[in-house]
Amino acid sequence: MTLAFTICSINYLAQARTLGDSLKETNPDYTYVIGLVDKLSVANLPAELMPEYAMLEVDKIGIPDFAAMCDRYDITELNTAVKPFYIDYFFKNNPDVTQLIYFDPDIIIYQPLHKLNQALQQHSLVLTPHTCSPTPDWERPNEIHHLGTGIFNLGFIGLRKDQTAQEFVDWWKERLVYECRIDLCNGLFVDQHWVNFAPVYYDNVLIDRHVGYNVAYWNLHERYFSQDSGGQWRVNDTELLQFFHYSGYNPYRPNDVSKYQTRFTFDPVEIPGQERPDVKPLFDIYRNRLLKNHNDIYRKYPCVYIKPPKVLRYKRVRKVLNTPFTRLISLLETH
């Protein structure tokens, strides 16, 4: 059995529902679960906001000292840090699961994932790099940004249920308890830099360069889109689009590809190559589905585990920890 899951708080349930709808359409044989980093009992969602998909609340999976992680992390860091704990829970509590696939909630699946299923019959882990070819300019993101955020994008990871995958998950859990921070100066960007080690530490890891996988703003420079006579989306006129990752997209700013990039736009521009009319319909599809899935309402729900005093507390702690180094640098610069 293949289990696909995502992780989000209630404010991202429109994205999680949109992902689930696409999986239901393209891969109906998958079991889909939403890992919810929130409490339904506190949110008290009305019936129309309750997804039809199974939800597993984070306090049900037995993360040791989860309360301390809530104090330590902001909402992005926390939703990322629990990923290997969910994987471990699914492995240990679902004996029928043979393959496990994680997708970020802001993804749409466009095809049956037959090739991925076949890869997971042979490999313990499947990873996708941010980009498979050099970036063409110094717009954001370029290779310096990828060095800062990680070679692989962990909005997707596939795992086969075997000893190697379990060893990797155990190792990953230990690192993310304390070091799942967005701290580029110290070489950390949530869970991603850690997985740079995976192909080195573990055998049987597939780095899949399929141009239809994990398409996103970071690899648009090497991927162009068209529809064939049957209405299927193709990448570079060769491969079928498998799944698109709409990272950083805001449906209320529909002409912005992503808040994290400056290379492409949907606005008319004078610089050749910056306009991407080929990809605009894919973003229109996503925008319409998000709005249909009540994004206007979900986005207003605060995460129960992240309260302003706790956010201020972790910032104070980080400031205190960094203060001696800041003072030392200032002292050296003045002498």
Side-chain angles (χ1 to χ4, degrees), residues 5-41:
F5 79 104
T6 193
I7 298 171
C8 68
S9 299
I10 288 172
N11 66 320
Y12 252 60
L13 276 180
Q15 286 81 353
R17 289 177 68 165
T18 299
L19 168 62
D21 294 344
S22 69
L23 279 167
K24 184 178 179 181
E25 179 182 350
T26 58
N27 293 268
D29 55 326
Y30 284 13
T31 297
Y32 176 58
V33 179
I34 299 171
L36 191 69
V37 184
D38 231 322
K39 282 192 174 182
L40 291 171
S41 60

Side-chain angles (χ1 to χ4, degrees), residues 128-135 143 146 151 218-219 221-223:
T128 52
H130 277 106
T131 181
C132 299
S133 63
T135 51
E143 287 151 348
H146 295 319
I151 299 302
W218 49 76
N219 51 41
H221 66 281
E222 62 187 18
R223 307 182 194 196

